[in-house]
Amino acid sequence: MEDKLNQFFSENNFDFQEPHSGHLDRFERALNAQKIPRTSWKWMSVAASIVLVVGFYLGVGHQKRQLDLADVSPKMEEVQTYFVSTIYQELKTLEENRSLDTEKIIENALEELEELEDVYATFVVELTKNGKQTRVISAMIKNYQQRLLVLENTLKQIENVKKIKFEKNETYL
């Protein structure tokens, strides 16, 4: 270990000379000199974050919230929940019955439902703009009823297709 240390010092050329005159004084002055305050980016980043949060909060507060049927009253919320859950169940049943024979029937029904949803979106805008008018609320409920009717009729058509296919298969057996 001692050999390696001696070898290191002998191979490297170290400066053992005295520093220039006044070096110690300059060094002490530099240490004792008051530092110039720098702009702290921390407080600026905190301030910018606060401005962003406040701006976002004010921006969201100024946006007008769209009313839906459920916002009219607790009873209408119940009605909407009933229709939405029933429509969801019917759609699920529709998808379970999807086959090559029923594909066209289902696609037509889904297109019709999409059109009814677009009409419903206009009712939502009208309800938001004009307030809780009975005419608009009634139209929204009728729209839900029409969607259910489309789904029920589609399921009946699918049952008829299945029945016809079954009868046809029995004939060939």
Side-chain angles (χ1 to χ4, degrees), residues 1 18 40 49 95-96 99:
M1 176 77 168
E18 290 289 321
S40 173
S49 298
E95 289 300 322
E96 288 170 357
S99 69

mmCIF file of all heavy atoms in Angstrom, residues 1 18 40 49 95-96 99:
data_model
loop_
_atom_site.group_PDB
_atom_site.id
_atom_site.type_symbol
_atom_site.label_atom_id
_atom_site.label_comp_id
_atom_site.label_asym_id
_atom_site.label_seq_id
_atom_site.Cartn_x
_atom_site.Cartn_y
_atom_site.Cartn_z
ATOM 1 N N MET A 1 0.825 -1.178 0.000
ATOM 2 C CA MET A 1 0.000 0.000 0.000
ATOM 3 C C MET A 1 0.877 1.253 0.000
ATOM 4 O O MET A 1 0.597 2.193 -0.721
ATOM 5 C CB MET A 1 -0.925 -0.063 1.218
ATOM 6 C CG MET A 1 -1.776 1.141 1.399
ATOM 7 S SD MET A 1 -3.077 1.017 0.214
ATOM 8 C CE MET A 1 -4.101 2.270 0.798
ATOM 9 N N GLU A 18 4.665 28.528 -2.967
ATOM 10 C CA GLU A 18 3.824 29.441 -2.193
ATOM 11 C C GLU A 18 2.929 30.207 -3.164
ATOM 12 O O GLU A 18 3.344 30.539 -4.278
ATOM 13 C CB GLU A 18 4.705 30.437 -1.428
ATOM 14 C CG GLU A 18 5.476 29.832 -0.296
ATOM 15 C CD GLU A 18 4.590 29.449 0.872
ATOM 16 O OE1 GLU A 18 3.659 30.189 1.200
ATOM 17 O OE2 GLU A 18 4.824 28.364 1.438
ATOM 18 N N SER A 40 -34.992 34.346 -7.193
ATOM 19 C CA SER A 40 -35.327 32.975 -6.852
ATOM 20 C C SER A 40 -36.447 32.489 -7.769
ATOM 21 O O SER A 40 -37.515 33.092 -7.834
ATOM 22 C CB SER A 40 -35.780 32.901 -5.392
ATOM 23 O OG SER A 40 -36.250 31.614 -5.114
ATOM 24 N N SER A 49 -47.898 28.961 -10.629
ATOM 25 C CA SER A 49 -48.832 27.860 -10.356
ATOM 26 C C SER A 49 -50.132 28.384 -9.775
ATOM 27 O O SER A 49 -51.220 27.941 -10.156
ATOM 28 C CB SER A 49 -48.208 26.866 -9.382
ATOM 29 O OG SER A 49 -47.064 26.296 -9.934
ATOM 30 N N GLU A 95 -77.049 -6.962 -28.815
ATOM 31 C CA GLU A 95 -75.701 -7.409 -29.166
ATOM 32 C C GLU A 95 -75.534 -8.916 -28.975
ATOM 33 O O GLU A 95 -74.806 -9.559 -29.722
ATOM 34 C CB GLU A 95 -74.644 -6.651 -28.350
ATOM 35 C CG GLU A 95 -74.475 -5.199 -28.744
ATOM 36 C CD GLU A 95 -74.054 -5.012 -30.194
ATOM 37 O OE1 GLU A 95 -73.242 -5.818 -30.705
ATOM 38 O OE2 GLU A 95 -74.558 -4.070 -30.823
ATOM 39 N N GLU A 96 -76.208 -9.473 -27.987
ATOM 40 C CA GLU A 96 -76.141 -10.918 -27.766
ATOM 41 C C GLU A 96 -76.784 -11.678 -28.920
ATOM 42 O O GLU A 96 -76.433 -12.827 -29.187
ATOM 43 C CB GLU A 96 -76.834 -11.284 -26.455
ATOM 44 C CG GLU A 96 -76.061 -10.852 -25.218
ATOM 45 C CD GLU A 96 -76.864 -11.009 -23.943
ATOM 46 O OE1 GLU A 96 -78.060 -11.396 -24.005
ATOM 47 O OE2 GLU A 96 -76.309 -10.711 -22.870
ATOM 48 N N SER A 99 -75.890 -11.674 -35.324
ATOM 49 C CA SER A 99 -75.403 -12.765 -36.173
ATOM 50 C C SER A 99 -75.403 -12.261 -37.610
ATOM 51 O O SER A 99 -75.807 -11.119 -37.875
ATOM 52 C CB SER A 99 -76.312 -13.999 -36.028
ATOM 53 O OG SER A 99 -77.574 -13.749 -36.593
#
